[in-house]
Amino acid sequence: MKKIAILTSGGDCSGMNATIRAVVRTAIATGMEVVGIQKGFAGMVNNWMQPLTVRSVSGIVQRGGTMLKSARCPEMHELDTQKKVVETLKRAGIEGVILLGGDGSLRGAYALHQLGVRIMAIPASIDNDIAYTDMSLGVDTALNNIRYAVDALKDTASSHDRAFVVETMGRNCGYLAVVSAIACGAEFALIPETPFDLDSICIALRKRFNEGRDNSIIMVAEGAGKAEKIAADIKDRIGFETRVMVLGHYQRGGSPTTFDRLLGARFGVAAFERLVAGNSGEMVGLSCGGLAFTQLHELQNAGRKQIDAVVLKLARLLVN
Ligand code: F6P
């Protein structure tokens, strides 16, 4: 193998740059050429590629986002587009690909693997909704971003005796909301995985304030409802005025935590080594602190990742 490519696809996350750096430095040390594909699969379709050197990846380890840029590319669902990509890679002399992305991007990686592209995938998404890995890249940084915001919010909430509804990202997965609720000492966590009853939440809220508690934080995962609507419903039910904070894309950015930098380095180096060893169609993941490799076809059949039972137990004990 003389030339490989790397790309970041779908929603960006912190730690992508650390991973790119690890792959480039490791590959170049073995005398291999590395090409960076711009803007995810769109760059594969349109041949947006640039050679990467040790110099070009210097000074990026501490930066959030991705130096290669990222994009969503719905056309990758089409076989014609996939075949076009295979041709582009062949013409560019690329013998192996390392892809960083979320579940949609991993489906694209599997499609390319089936068409004969040698490819290794790295789970990168703040949602932590990818099966066969305890953590995806970027989750830890997102959790720290949320913690920072909620800690600050509690100061102003206490000063005004207020309740806040805080909306996290995560698509259909409540991981960010429930873990943040535990870490920040929030009073409620509304997640799509577990049913909740707004009437009992309102009663508990009222009771808290009657007891003299001066703030309440209600974490809501975007998959469980809109913070604005929940705040309005609370006001309708008990006349209690709440404020809303939608954390949005802020969660995805910022300097990666040490955990994400290290995870990116571990994932990147392992993906490269597996590719060179002749493996393809695999995802590298984290399992009980070690690295684990899963066939992408298993991932396609895995269904939605469940939130860890230990996390749910902690939430039951410590939140509400
Ligand atoms: O998958 C990552 C994610 O940030 C989700 O949590 C969120 O629902 C979505 O991407 C937002 O997508 P976009 O950046 O395209 O608005």
Side-chain angles (χ1 to χ4, degrees), residues 110 113-114 132 281-282 294-302:
Y110 179 53
H113 166 70
Q114 284 181 303
Y132 294 108
E282 290 180 353
T294 304
Q295 295 290 323
L296 289 175
H297 76 79
E298 275 182 60
L299 207 59
Q300 310 305 304
N301 307 323

Side-chain angles (χ1 to χ4, degrees), residues 10-12 72 102-103 124-127 129 168-172 176 222 248-249 251-252:
D12 68 337
R72 303 200 187 274
D103 54 355
S125 163
I126 65 165
D127 301 344
D129 59 349
T168 63
M169 275 189 167
R171 224 177 269 275
N172 298 315
L176 291 177
E222 64 174 340
H249 290 81
Q251 294 159 93
R252 290 220 307 241

Side-chain angles (χ1 to χ4, degrees), residues 7 35-50 71-76 80-89 91-92 94:
L7 74 156
V35 165
I37 297 172
Q38 297 274 323
K39 296 197 174 197
F41 288 123
M44 276 185 160
V45 176
N46 296 298
N47 203 6
W48 297 330
M49 303 189 189
Q50 63 178 99
R72 303 200 187 274
C73 182
E75 307 90 76
M76 261 309 276
D80 280 354
T81 310
Q82 295 162 7
K83 286 183 174 164
K84 195 172 165 194
V85 162
V86 175
E87 280 315 306
T88 312
L89 293 173
R91 267 200 310 277
I94 290 164

Side-chain angles (χ1 to χ4, degrees), residues 27-197:
I28 285 176
T30 69
M32 205 174 285
E33 262 182 80
V34 189
V35 165
I37 297 172
Q38 297 274 323
K39 296 197 174 197
F41 288 123
M44 276 185 160
V45 176
N46 296 298
N47 203 6
W48 297 330
M49 303 189 189
Q50 63 178 99
L52 295 176
T53 60
V54 169
R55 186 75 194 274
S56 59
V57 296
S58 81
I60 64 166
V61 75
Q62 77 283 10
R63 282 175 29 209
T66 161
M67 69 165 285
L68 294 175
K69 301 195 179 288
S70 195
R72 303 200 187 274
C73 182
E75 307 90 76
M76 261 309 276
H77 295 305
E78 291 155 25
L79 186 60
D80 280 354
T81 310
Q82 295 162 7
K83 286 183 174 164
K84 195 172 165 194
V85 162
V86 175
E87 280 315 306
T88 312
L89 293 173
K90 261 193 203 143
R91 267 200 310 277
I94 290 164
E95 296 165 85
V97 175
I98 294 178
L99 169 137
L100 286 76
D103 54 355
S105 307
L106 297 184
R107 275 194 292 280
Y110 179 53
L112 293 182
H113 166 70
Q114 284 181 303
L115 293 173
V117 175
R118 281 170 70 179
I119 188 160
M120 284 293 301
I122 293 176
S125 163
I126 65 165
D127 301 344
N128 212 23
D129 59 349
I130 301 171
Y132 294 108
T133 185
D134 294 344
M135 289 288 269
S136 292
L137 192 69
V139 174
D140 188 64
T141 305
L143 287 172
N144 278 285
N145 287 342
I146 298 168
R147 175 189 53 75
Y148 185 78
V150 174
D151 285 353
L153 196 64
K154 282 183 113 172
D155 293 342
T156 170
S158 300
S159 309
H160 289 268
D161 293 330
R162 276 176 177 158
F164 272 81
V165 184
V166 181
E167 185 180 310
T168 63
M169 275 189 167
R171 224 177 269 275
N172 298 315
C173 178
Y175 185 85
L176 291 177
V178 71
V179 172
S180 306
I182 297 166
C184 299
E187 279 62 46
F188 307 96
L190 314 188
I191 58 172
E193 288 84 351
T194 2
F196 57 89
D197 171 30

